[in-house]
Amino acid sequence: MKEFQLIEHYFTGQSQHRKDVKLGIGDDCALVKPAENKLLAISTDTLVENVHFLPQMPPQALGYKALAVNLSDLAAMGAEPAWMTLALTMPSADDVWLQGFAAGLFEAADYYMISLVGGDTTRGPKSITITVHGQVPEGKALTRKGAKPGDWIYVTGTLGDSALGLDILQGRQSTSNEHREFLINRHYHPSPRVLAGQSLRGLASSAIDLSDGLNSDIRHVLKASGVGAVIDVEKLPLSPAMRDSVTLETALNYALCGGEDYELLFTVPEAQRGALDTALSHAGVRFTQIGQIQPVNKLKLQFKGEEFVPTQRGFEHFQ
Amino acid sequence: MKEFQLIEHYFTGQSQHRKDVKLGIGDDCALVKPAENKLLAISTDTLVENVHFLPQMPPQALGYKALAVNLSDLAAMGAEPAWMTLALTMPSADDVWLQGFAAGLFEAADYYMISLVGGDTTRGPKSITITVHGQVPEGKALTRKGAKPGDWIYVTGTLGDSALGLDILQGRQSTSNEHREFLINRHYHPSPRVLAGQSLRGLASSAIDLSDGLNSDIRHVLKASGVGAVIDVEKLPLSPAMRDSVTLETALNYALCGGEDYELLFTVPEAQRGALDTALSHAGVRFTQIGQIQPVNKLKLQFKGEEFVPTQRGFEHFQ
């Protein structure tokens, strides 16, 4: 296993030096100091080659995205990123790949101020498991439970770009060079809405991040909160690249079912709506009201008042 | 991915209900409340099929061991187990295997009072990544750094049993039925020395858990502490099963190079030796003095005063 112990040098000493890391990589455990009066938020995500990513995915994009999808879970709780561990399994130590992967991982880690404090490198079919830790003041975490009838439903950013980007990469769609670059970048470099999540503390009644697609993920909020919703599909935020590249119907299907957006969906009571603009202006992220929570426990999708039936076009895992 | 969402029911609601778990499995993150004035100890280990375990390993043993090897890292820091996440990748949802795996995992989790708070189940070649979290009072953690010349070197339990058990399982060694059961059990159900680790706080100057074998792991302590050591090989603690099954030379080689013992190796200054008996009596674990830390930065293995050269017989990963 010498070869794999050597891998560690790619991941040691490159990370953010947070003062709350008392002992980093290299002992039996890392030691960190949690902040007082805060809860610790923990989440784990695994990316498996040929399931969650294709072998030809650039390693830098993969390193970035493997962390970004985990940070998106912290964002959805309103937590500040703090520490992470990386379990990396690969068939052999490939220097070029490791350099790219580490560069992408630390690009995201440095930007979002999260320290790599430990991990494990093993031989086997390629997969990446990251466990992230964040902190959130007690009583301030955003959860999926808490949406009430009458609350307004919002999303950050624009929807569907990542899935269209994947389809372009795989030759199922095409567009101009400029849009192509934007859409592929949205697939490879999602922006976890970490600051937006923190800004929503005390304002949002519930939140979730969009990983499988709005049409699927919103159901987790509705189920956990025991409510229903109406979504006005015509309000779904679409990027210019999306609008220019496909028909409106296709665009709305990407936005509903596309997956891997890593935008936030959140609900806000009427009384808090006025405070949203100020709160989210710091986060520098667009947000759009797309519907309203209903007492009846079902999801209604409508386009200008008429029922909208998605064709389920969009995101699928590769197998 | 419906099939894999269903897997979650094997892991939900079975875990220890710790009061410090504020939100368990089922949201974007788990939320836990760290104790005040304690550091958080974090460690991650991955087990890959055909590398760290063979396909025929009973799932219950695998579930138990996957957690036990992680708990052993907490033990080596003197930390109390608290929470864990599980990232489980498997080619398809196999009910019988999942039931066994979950039973073994929760057997260890319940015994060591650690809560499963989150995770991810994905399709792919079988592997298990567990991230454990423990707590240790500030300034009391045991690390690999801190061994000083003159400190006495100890190990818990007996050494080499796990590697001999694996060789018996694979037909490379044989023994009586009674010893066979004991040795295989030591391979499948290692006992992480969690209480012993906590008892060593304030007494031990350094500690590590033995995963790759004494001859390999002690070098991490020597390197981190900037010291050397003499090990009196004839003092290495051997189980009756080990003594009865192989020659003394083979037994000592298993004890030195066997791996997967998950016993603790620790160093204790002369002034603290007298307090060891009392401290470790609560932990109910045998401990044996096997050598002494030296100022010269090398490792000397001796058998009754003569140099002992191990044959490196023992543990290897399966490829």
Side-chain angles (χ1 to χ4, degrees):
Chain A
M1 298 296 283
K2 291 274 180 222
E3 177 190 5
F4 279 77
Q5 285 162 7
L6 288 175
I7 291 177
E8 290 173 17
H9 88 88
Y10 287 101
F11 299 105
T12 309
Q14 279 199 56
S15 194
Q16 275 285 327
H17 288 287
R18 290 175 59 102
K19 283 191 181 167
D20 54 13
V21 177
K22 301 304 177 188
L23 187 67
I25 292 172
D27 214 299
D28 293 299
C29 293
L31 292 171
V32 299
K33 177 146 183 56
E36 283 177 27
N37 302 319
K38 291 192 178 173
L39 295 182
L40 185 66
I42 308 174
S43 184
T44 297
D45 266 305
T46 299
L47 301 182
V48 179
E49 188 172 69
N50 291 316
V51 180
H52 305 93
F53 64 93
L54 291 170
Q56 60 267 31
M57 182 163 177
Q60 190 152 354
L62 184 58
Y64 177 95
K65 189 165 176 176
L67 177 52
V69 304
N70 275 283
L71 289 169
S72 184
D73 285 315
L74 292 180
M77 302 298 286
E80 305 140 33
W83 319 291
M84 63 167 164
T85 61
L86 166 69
L88 176 61
T89 302
M90 54 192 305
S92 61
D94 173 340
D95 279 337
V96 173
W97 190 92
L98 279 162
Q99 273 184 7
F101 181 86
L105 183 82
F106 287 115
E107 181 193 339
D110 289 351
Y111 186 80
Y112 292 101
M113 292 187 289
I114 188 166
S115 282
L116 179 68
V117 296
D120 195 12
T121 46
T122 49
R123 186 192 302 277
K126 195 175 279 178
S127 80
I128 302 137
T129 297
I130 291 180
T131 303
V132 288
H133 302 79
Q135 301 186 98
V136 58
E138 279 195 76
K140 296 289 187 190
L142 310 173
T143 70
R144 298 175 180 182
K145 192 176 172 174
K148 299 255 174 339
D151 288 358
W152 299 97
I153 304 168
Y154 291 84
V155 290
T156 58
T158 57
L159 301 183
D161 299 328
S162 173
L164 177 54
L166 176 62
D167 278 354
I168 287 169
L169 271 169
Q170 300 193 325
R172 289 189 295 267
Q173 296 279 6
S174 62
T175 187
S176 69
N177 279 345
E178 186 196 352
H179 288 335
R180 181 183 162 86
E181 191 180 342
F182 170 83
L183 293 164
I184 289 175
N185 191 54
R186 289 277 286 165
H187 181 69
Y188 279 158
H189 292 91
S191 298
R193 300 306 186 184
V194 171
L195 274 180
Q198 291 170 49
S199 304
L200 290 170
R201 294 175 191 161
L203 289 180
S205 52
S206 72
I208 192 171
D209 75 315
L210 298 177
S211 53
D212 293 339
L214 169 61
N215 187 36
S216 168
D217 292 319
I218 192 175
R219 295 172 199 268
H220 298 302
V221 172
L222 302 185
K223 191 177 174 197
S225 300
V227 293
V230 171
I231 299 294
D232 299 313
V233 172
E234 73 274 14
K235 293 183 182 170
L236 296 182
L238 303 174
S239 66
M242 172 69 79
R243 287 182 183 277
D244 287 355
S245 304
V246 296
T247 66
L248 179 60
E249 192 189 349
T250 301
L252 294 177
N253 273 290
Y254 274 117
L256 278 171
C257 310
E260 297 212 274
D261 286 321
Y262 300 106
E263 297 293 347
L264 296 182
L265 178 142
F266 57 97
T267 58
V268 178
E270 174 67 27
Q272 305 291 351
R273 281 184 88 177
L276 261 189
D277 272 329
T278 315
L280 283 179
S281 65
H282 303 293
V285 59
R286 167 180 175 172
F287 60 100
T288 309
Q289 184 261 312
I290 61 165
Q292 195 171 23
I293 296 295
Q294 304 288 325
V296 180
N297 193 359
K298 61 178 280 226
L299 176 63
K300 191 175 168 191
L301 304 176
Q302 60 185 26
F303 183 83
K304 298 181 179 172
E306 303 282 317
E307 187 186 9
F308 184 90
V309 181
T311 57
Q312 295 291 340
R313 177 81 196 75
F315 182 75
E316 284 161 23
H317 286 296
F318 302 120
Q319 63 177 36
Chain B
M1 298 294 284
K2 290 275 181 222
E3 177 190 5
F4 278 76
Q5 285 162 8
L6 288 176
I7 291 178
E8 289 172 18
H9 88 89
Y10 287 101
F11 300 104
T12 310
Q14 281 199 55
S15 195
Q16 275 287 326
H17 289 288
R18 291 175 58 102
K19 283 191 180 167
D20 54 14
V21 177
K22 302 304 177 188
L23 188 64
I25 292 172
D27 214 298
D28 292 300
C29 294
L31 292 172
V32 299
K33 176 145 183 56
E36 283 177 26
N37 303 318
K38 290 192 178 174
L39 295 182
L40 185 66
I42 309 174
S43 183
T44 296
D45 266 304
T46 299
L47 301 182
V48 180
E49 189 172 69
N50 291 315
V51 179
H52 304 92
F53 64 92
L54 291 170
Q56 61 267 33
M57 184 164 178
Q60 190 153 353
L62 184 59
Y64 177 94
K65 190 165 176 176
L67 177 51
V69 305
N70 276 283
L71 290 169
S72 184
D73 285 315
L74 292 180
M77 302 298 285
E80 304 140 34
W83 321 292
M84 63 167 165
T85 60
L86 166 69
L88 176 61
T89 303
M90 53 192 305
S92 61
D94 173 341
D95 279 337
V96 173
W97 190 91
L98 279 162
Q99 274 185 6
F101 181 86
L105 184 81
F106 287 116
E107 181 194 339
D110 290 350
Y111 187 80
Y112 292 101
M113 292 187 288
I114 187 166
S115 281
L116 180 68
V117 297
D120 194 13
T121 46
T122 50
R123 188 191 302 275
K126 196 175 279 178
S127 80
I128 302 137
T129 297
I130 290 180
T131 303
V132 288
H133 303 78
Q135 301 186 99
V136 58
E138 279 194 76
K140 296 289 186 189
L142 310 173
T143 70
R144 298 176 180 182
K145 193 176 172 174
K148 299 255 174 340
D151 287 358
W152 299 97
I153 303 168
Y154 290 83
V155 290
T156 58
T158 56
L159 301 184
D161 299 329
S162 173
L164 177 54
L166 177 61
D167 279 354
I168 286 169
L169 271 169
Q170 301 193 324
R172 288 189 297 267
Q173 296 280 6
S174 63
T175 187
S176 69
N177 280 345
E178 186 195 350
H179 289 336
R180 181 184 163 86
E181 193 181 339
F182 169 84
L183 293 164
I184 290 174
N185 191 55
R186 289 278 285 166
H187 180 69
Y188 279 158
H189 292 91
S191 299
R193 301 304 186 184
V194 170
L195 274 181
Q198 292 170 48
S199 305
L200 290 170
R201 294 175 191 161
L203 288 180
S205 52
S206 73
I208 192 171
D209 75 315
L210 297 177
S211 53
D212 293 341
L214 168 62
N215 187 36
S216 167
D217 292 320
I218 192 176
R219 294 172 199 269
H220 298 302
V221 172
L222 303 184
K223 191 176 175 196
S225 300
V227 294
V230 171
I231 300 293
D232 299 312
V233 173
E234 73 274 14
K235 293 183 181 169
L236 296 181
L238 303 174
S239 67
M242 172 68 80
R243 287 182 182 276
D244 288 354
S245 304
V246 295
T247 66
L248 179 59
E249 193 189 348
T250 301
L252 294 177
N253 273 290
Y254 274 117
L256 278 171
C257 309
E260 297 211 273
D261 286 319
Y262 300 108
E263 298 292 349
L264 296 182
L265 179 142
F266 57 97
T267 58
V268 177
E270 174 65 29
Q272 304 291 352
R273 281 184 86 177
L276 261 189
D277 272 329
T278 316
L280 283 179
S281 65
H282 303 292
V285 59
R286 167 181 176 173
F287 60 101
T288 308
Q289 184 262 311
I290 60 165
Q292 196 172 22
I293 296 295
Q294 304 288 326
V296 180
N297 192 0
K298 62 179 279 227
L299 176 62
K300 191 175 166 191
L301 304 176
Q302 60 184 28
F303 182 83
K304 298 182 180 173
E306 303 281 317
E307 186 187 9
F308 184 91
V309 181
T311 58
Q312 295 290 341
R313 178 82 196 72
F315 182 75
E316 285 161 23
H317 287 299
F318 302 119
Q319 64 177 34

